[in-house]
Amino acid sequence: MKGICEGRVVIVTGAGRGLGRAHALAFAAEGAKVVVNDLGVSLDGAGGSDDPARAVADEITAAGGTAIAHAGDIATSAGAASLVAAAVDAFGRLDTLVNNAGFLRDRMLVNLDEDDWDAVVRVHLKGHFLPLRHAAAHWRAETKAGRPQTARVVNTSSGAGLLGSVGQGNYAAAKAGIVALTLVAAAETARYGVQVNAIAPAARTRMTERTFATTMAAPEHGGFDAMAPANVSPLVVWLGSADCAGVTGRVFEAEAGRITVMEGWRPGPTADRGTRWTPQEAGGAVRELLVRAAEPGPVYGTR
């Protein structure tokens, strides 16, 4: 029986460990040819090695799949361009891009220096933009050449980007930016046969091991490891397949066996005076509106 990604060529960034590795293995199991990208840095972005990417590519190959490794820095234009070129050169096409790479430098805002801000925003937000930009340019060229595309992009946001997270101002801002980038990309690239969605996953990885220190496997769940990265991958594979036709510009939360469609900013209660408010009148109107408005979700770390 063929998998739902049979014959598709898939790039996964940050695929040397954690969620990215799980995604790469899951795509390969569904018949995809996988480009495994990982810079091989430490948790805070230091160093670098091609060993993690090669290890996952070798794991896929040993299991009978097809994969190549790419250890370029996708937060540079040259690295992102070489990543797309690697897929096309090796397999003749590109069908799916999964943006997943990232690291953490957590600090409270008053202790967060400019380098920590720039490094995290660079790898998460710029590291999403550049591969997406080069992949979209490829799909646009293919479409204009008369070769219709069934292309997919899956971006990786976070609950921190949707609700905020104490001690993670840099990470939360970058992940919120990824949601906005997803919405814009879905609208702009639809004409080229591209669908763009995002996930906000919760799983045990290097970045979350202190938060999810235990497996959360319980006898009543048959020993199910609720925080295993592989729990998130089935949704990512489906979003990266042709089967998800018509689903674009959406954000999904994925954790354990749960999938949630996240609903973003929408107009709530409103007041229109028909002319300019005084400051006191504006304040009174706001207080009346807030009584009728839904309470925002709590920022992570506040309770």
Side-chain angles (χ1 to χ4, degrees):
M1 181 177 177
K2 292 185 177 181
I4 65 170
C5 288
E6 191 72 32
R8 291 182 71 82
V9 175
V10 178
I11 289 172
V12 184
T13 70
R17 304 177 178 92
L19 282 165
R21 173 181 173 273
H23 299 341
L25 295 176
F27 273 108
E30 290 293 331
K33 300 172 183 177
V34 184
V35 180
V36 179
N37 165 265
D38 201 286
L39 194 54
V41 299
S42 64
L43 180 58
D44 67 354
S49 168
D50 62 1
D51 290 345
R54 291 188 183 281
V56 175
D58 289 346
E59 186 176 359
I60 290 171
T61 302
T66 303
I68 61 170
H70 180 275
D73 183 357
I74 47 80
T76 68
S77 187
S82 73
L83 177 60
V84 172
V88 176
D89 291 347
F91 304 122
R93 58 186 296 127
L94 172 62
D95 300 289
T96 298
L97 167 65
V98 179
N99 283 315
N100 171 77
F103 56 74
L104 295 176
R105 292 189 185 179
D106 292 352
R107 301 283 190 280
M108 300 297 281
L109 286 174
V110 295
N111 296 320
L112 183 63
D113 65 34
E114 188 175 356
D115 289 342
D116 290 335
W117 175 275
D118 288 346
V120 169
V121 171
R122 175 185 181 273
V123 70
H124 286 279
L125 189 52
K126 192 176 182 182
H128 270 63
F129 159 65
L130 287 173
L132 176 53
R133 185 251 185 224
H134 285 284
H138 167 74
W139 290 321
R140 178 182 63 180
E142 289 292 288
T143 301
K144 288 185 174 181
R147 293 183 286 272
Q149 301 296 293
T150 307
R152 305 287 186 260
V153 178
V154 184
N155 291 330
T156 306
S157 183
S158 168
L162 302 176
L163 295 173
S165 180
V166 171
Q168 294 188 308
N170 48 2
Y171 176 75
K175 290 302 191 182
I178 287 167
V179 171
L181 178 63
T182 297
L183 302 181
V184 172
E188 290 187 356
T189 64
R191 71 189 72 180
Y192 311 126
V194 185
Q195 293 182 185
V196 187
N197 294 285
I199 61 165
R204 186 182 54 256
T205 69
R206 285 195 305 170
M207 291 179 14
T208 62
E209 61 186 357
R210 285 176 295 181
T211 303
F212 305 127
T214 63
T215 64
M216 296 182 65
E220 61 268 26
H221 294 122
F224 173 53
D225 184 352
M227 289 294 104
N231 298 335
V232 177
S233 299
L235 173 62
V236 175
V237 171
W238 184 79
L239 290 172
S241 74
D243 285 17
C244 76
V247 179
T248 193
R250 295 285 193 165
V251 179
F252 300 90
E253 192 173 63
E255 177 182 353
R258 177 173 58 84
I259 296 171
T260 304
V261 179
M262 303 304 289
E263 297 181 338
W265 294 107
R266 299 174 182 272
T270 186
D272 185 354
R273 189 166 182 264
T275 187
R276 184 179 301 159
W277 304 87
T278 67
Q280 293 85 352
E281 290 168 340
V286 168
R287 291 195 179 280
E288 290 180 5
L289 292 173
L290 288 175
V291 171
R292 293 156 37 206
E295 286 291 326
V299 173
Y300 289 139
T302 57
R303 65 178 187 181

